[in-house]
Amino acid sequence: METGVGVAPGEATRAIRAARPTRRTVESELGRKRRARRIGRMLTETHPDAHCELNHQGPLQLAVATILSAQCTDQRVNEVTPKLFARYPTAADYAGADRAELEEMIRPTGFFRNKTNSLINLGQQLVERYDGQVPRRMADLVTLPGIGRKTANVILGNAFGVPGITVDTHFDRLVHRWELTTETDPVKIEHAVGALFERRDWTMLSHRVIFHGRRVCHARKPACGACTLARLCPSYGIGPTDPAAAAKLLKGPRARELAVQAGVDPDLVPATAAVGDTP
């Protein structure tokens, strides 16, 4: 059957699929760093399309979209923001927004009252302290309403080109499954994982890990048997290892290509996999 994906597994993928993963006993710091770098290279091959999935133009739009993304899918945020950005193009517009109108516009993203407070206060703070511009320093960003360290890293990495690691729920889950750190505090996770990779790679690493968490390594049932990282993952087997069962768990527009990259028949991927949202 014609698959239409036209992707052949690379040498790295074949090497990973060559043997069942073995459990390590004690891994040295150097060994962990080398394995982390291999994971990073495989993620680059697996998710060449990784990017910030919040649609935006400029740091203000990204800051607003990131605030709206709390407890909400990126897809839903992207449905709301076109009208929102057109109605409120500047920080001053958010600062002077009619609360009821703003609440109604962002209602579909959930927690809309709290988010409205954050957006109005953010606009006021930007106008009063930064001449209406989003600052480009972590120390400044984290003092703004609705912006914590995670959001600040998203803004710095994607709007200003300053490398940063975004420790969201997907990133947290995957780096622990890969046993790259035992830290549980997000800031400590950020520093521990950051030490394993080149600083210049931090932003794209975050995107690739998040893509993998949304499309392959799901929280409840990861697609272990259709994962290109199988040979490098000490948690291999917590999800189905049978390729047919695992292929059904792949998500996103490149689900069939992900199957091919893992050496799995893409025809095993359901047609609905490509159209479902990836939370």
Side-chain angles (χ1 to χ4, degrees):
M1 179 181 293
E2 178 65 30
T3 64
V5 294
V7 176
E11 293 183 4
T13 302
R14 286 195 293 270
I16 285 176
R17 300 290 298 176
R20 180 183 176 84
T22 56
R23 298 285 178 179
R24 288 170 297 281
T25 51
V26 178
E27 185 176 45
S28 68
E29 287 300 318
L30 178 59
R32 182 178 294 108
K33 177 174 283 191
R34 287 175 173 170
R35 183 168 59 87
R37 298 289 178 91
R38 290 197 293 272
I39 288 173
R41 290 192 292 272
M42 180 51 63
L43 287 173
T44 300
E45 180 179 325
T46 303
H47 303 288
D49 58 330
H51 62 282
C52 178
E53 294 190 279
L54 291 169
N55 297 336
H56 67 280
Q57 292 182 351
L60 178 61
Q61 289 189 3
L62 181 56
V64 170
T66 307
I67 289 172
L68 295 180
S69 70
Q71 303 299 313
C72 183
T73 65
D74 289 354
Q75 178 177 317
R76 178 60 57 85
V77 172
N78 290 337
E79 292 171 356
V80 167
T81 51
K83 290 183 179 179
L84 183 71
F85 293 159
R87 179 67 180 85
Y88 305 102
T90 70
D93 292 316
Y94 287 101
D98 177 81
R99 181 176 297 274
E101 178 186 48
L102 183 53
E103 284 184 355
E104 189 60 31
M105 292 190 74
I106 68 172
R107 182 185 291 268
T109 68
F111 301 96
F112 59 93
R113 292 189 179 90
N114 289 338
K115 292 177 181 180
T116 294
N117 287 336
S118 293
L119 295 181
I120 291 175
N121 291 333
L122 173 65
Q124 292 171 346
Q125 289 291 308
L126 291 177
V127 170
E128 293 172 7
R129 297 167 54 195
Y130 299 105
D131 196 28
Q133 302 301 308
V134 177
R136 59 176 63 225
R137 295 196 315 153
M138 172 69 74
D140 295 323
L141 285 168
V142 295
T143 67
L144 294 170
I147 297 180
R149 189 174 180 90
K150 180 181 75 173
T151 299
N153 272 322
V154 172
I155 296 169
L156 289 171
N158 297 281
F160 294 120
V162 178
I165 289 178
T166 302
V167 183
D168 75 343
T169 56
H170 300 290
F171 194 96
D172 185 325
R173 181 177 76 252
L174 268 60
V175 297
H176 283 104
R177 281 181 176 172
W178 298 332
E179 295 183 8
L180 299 185
T181 182
T182 58
E183 300 289 356
T184 56
D185 177 77
V187 177
K188 291 182 178 179
I189 292 172
E190 178 187 331
H191 292 316
V193 176
L196 300 174
F197 296 90
E198 295 288 348
R199 185 174 183 271
R200 65 174 180 267
D201 297 330
W202 288 353
T203 299
M204 285 307 303
L205 172 70
S206 298
H207 290 319
R208 290 165 185 147
V209 172
I210 292 169
F211 261 53
H212 202 70
R214 288 174 168 173
R215 290 155 171 76
V216 182
C217 195
H218 311 296
R220 294 185 179 179
K221 189 182 290 186
C224 291
C227 178
T228 57
L229 298 179
R231 189 70 180 91
L232 297 168
C233 181
S235 298
Y236 176 85
I238 65 172
T241 59
D242 175 64
K248 292 180 173 60
L249 301 174
L250 297 175
K251 300 293 182 184
R254 294 184 59 253
R256 291 164 67 83
E257 292 179 55
L258 293 174
V260 172
Q261 288 175 311
V264 174
D265 183 356
D267 290 336
L268 296 173
V269 178
T272 54
V275 299
D277 189 20
T278 51

